Amino acid sequence: MHYGPCGGVREDGSCEMADHPCPFTVLDAPPPWTGSPPPLRPPHELPSDGNASVVLTDLSVPAYDPAAVAELVDVLAPTCDAVLVGEHQSRPDLPPTLMAALIKERGVRPWITLTCRDRNRVVLEQELHGLAALGDVAVLCATGDGRAPGVRDEVTQVFDIDGTRLAGMAAHAGLRVGVPEAPDAPPRHLRPGRLLAKQEAGAQVAVLNHVNSVERLAAFVAQARAAGVRLPFVAGVAVYTDERSAAVLQRFPGLHLDAQRVAHVLDATDPVAAGCAEAVREARAALAVEGVVGVNLSGPATARGERAGAQIKAAVGAELRRDMP
């Protein structure tokens, strides 16, 4: 990794991949972008004039199941503007280009996450050009989480490049380019500048990891603007209705939920209704922050399976859409 730090820095400054400190924590500023400037293109097609907001919803599907992709996209389609396809560290997924094609068949725009864990830059370039050939596809370019313990231990992890350089490749391939950022992952003072490097590489929108308050979200957006970041922001909104779905969102470094709000949902008489109401409340508060043009309904939502999770996120999305013109 050259354009770090990634989002996987623990609170003590150690790396999530191994028992050693993250080398970027000693820097006063993140490495600036020194690659090729991105091609001149119109900005990402996201509303940024205050007249509308984007609802982006995580698509959680079983491994290697095209029929489930169609079924669950159909559940989400009426309540979101696009679905975000993750790349899982704990199980395999269908190839990104195939996932995008299956989603587009259902009339929904796919946002496809590409990471650097399992593909070198040649294969990533192939995926990028395949996605560009499909048309109307966005990519979220991330360095990516390390493979979960016990998953394909005999297979080497690649990490040939990092997410910032992948964003530059995606921009040159003609794609709409999103990038993640983790406002609350240490070292926090480097996060705005790291996002600036991604912007200069060709990113067109920033999708933020969860923070534990709207005040923290607003502070990070202001810090990024002061650093020169002009990107529109999509704020992460946690959707959880039981202990397992909340724990999934809290186990990764840099992701923070308000413990009192989590307890309020889990202790409710009807945790599903309480979880939906909490996600709607959080989304509305995030959308009121200047510079935030959309929300990402994130997480599995429930331990009861992918279809139940999609139905819960669809209920949250439907309620948000009622607020929008």
Side-chain angles (χ1 to χ4, degrees), residues 129-315:
H129 284 278
L131 293 169
L134 286 175
D136 201 27
V137 176
V139 291
L140 184 70
C141 296
T143 302
D145 301 308
R147 201 174 297 130
V151 178
R152 305 292 175 89
D153 286 333
E154 75 283 4
V155 179
T156 302
Q157 301 186 65
V158 181
F159 291 114
D160 185 30
I161 58 173
D162 50 47
T164 303
R165 283 179 282 183
L166 179 57
M169 290 170 59
H172 283 278
L175 286 155
R176 299 183 178 96
V177 183
V179 290
E181 191 50 77
D184 274 348
R188 294 173 181 82
H189 69 285
L190 299 183
R191 299 291 165 186
R194 180 172 181 252
L195 192 53
L196 177 64
K198 293 181 178 183
Q199 173 182 284
E200 293 178 345
Q204 296 167 294
V205 60
V207 180
L208 300 182
N209 279 353
H210 311 292
V211 293
N212 64 8
S213 71
V214 68
E215 291 79 14
R216 175 62 188 132
L217 170 64
F220 178 77
V221 171
Q223 291 164 357
R225 289 285 186 258
V229 176
R230 303 180 304 278
L231 302 175
F233 290 89
V234 173
V237 170
V239 185
Y240 54 89
T241 60
D242 51 32
E243 289 187 7
R244 182 178 174 188
S245 56
V248 166
L249 291 166
Q250 297 180 92
R251 74 180 185 214
F252 292 105
L255 272 66
H256 293 273
L257 304 181
D258 185 320
Q260 289 185 327
R261 305 303 303 182
V262 173
H264 170 77
V265 169
L266 301 186
D267 293 341
T269 303
D270 185 346
V272 172
C276 289
E278 174 61 21
V280 170
R281 182 204 65 80
E282 183 182 346
R284 287 171 174 164
L287 289 169
V289 174
E290 185 176 357
V292 174
V293 302
V295 291
N296 171 215
L297 304 182
S298 176
T302 179
R304 294 185 290 114
E306 289 88 355
R307 182 173 180 82
Q311 291 170 334
I312 290 169
K313 285 180 279 192

Side-chain angles (χ1 to χ4, degrees), residues 19-88:
D19 187 19
H20 60 70
C22 171
F24 292 94
T25 59
V26 300
L27 299 181
D28 294 326
W33 175 250
T34 58
S36 301
L40 293 176
R41 288 195 180 91
H44 193 290
E45 292 179 9
L46 277 175
S48 56
D49 58 3
N51 294 325
S53 301
V54 167
V55 176
L56 179 65
T57 304
D58 278 7
L59 177 65
S60 300
V61 296
Y64 298 152
D65 192 341
V69 174
E71 176 188 3
L72 297 176
V73 169
D74 286 348
V75 172
L76 296 172
T79 66
C80 66
D81 299 287
V83 294
L84 177 60
V85 180
E87 192 165 82
H88 298 89

Side-chain angles (χ1 to χ4, degrees), residues 95-106 110 112 131 134 137:
T97 304
L98 176 58
M99 281 292 293
L102 292 171
I103 293 166
K104 283 174 62 67
E105 286 177 0
R106 314 311 296 178
I112 303 294
L131 293 169
L134 286 175
V137 176

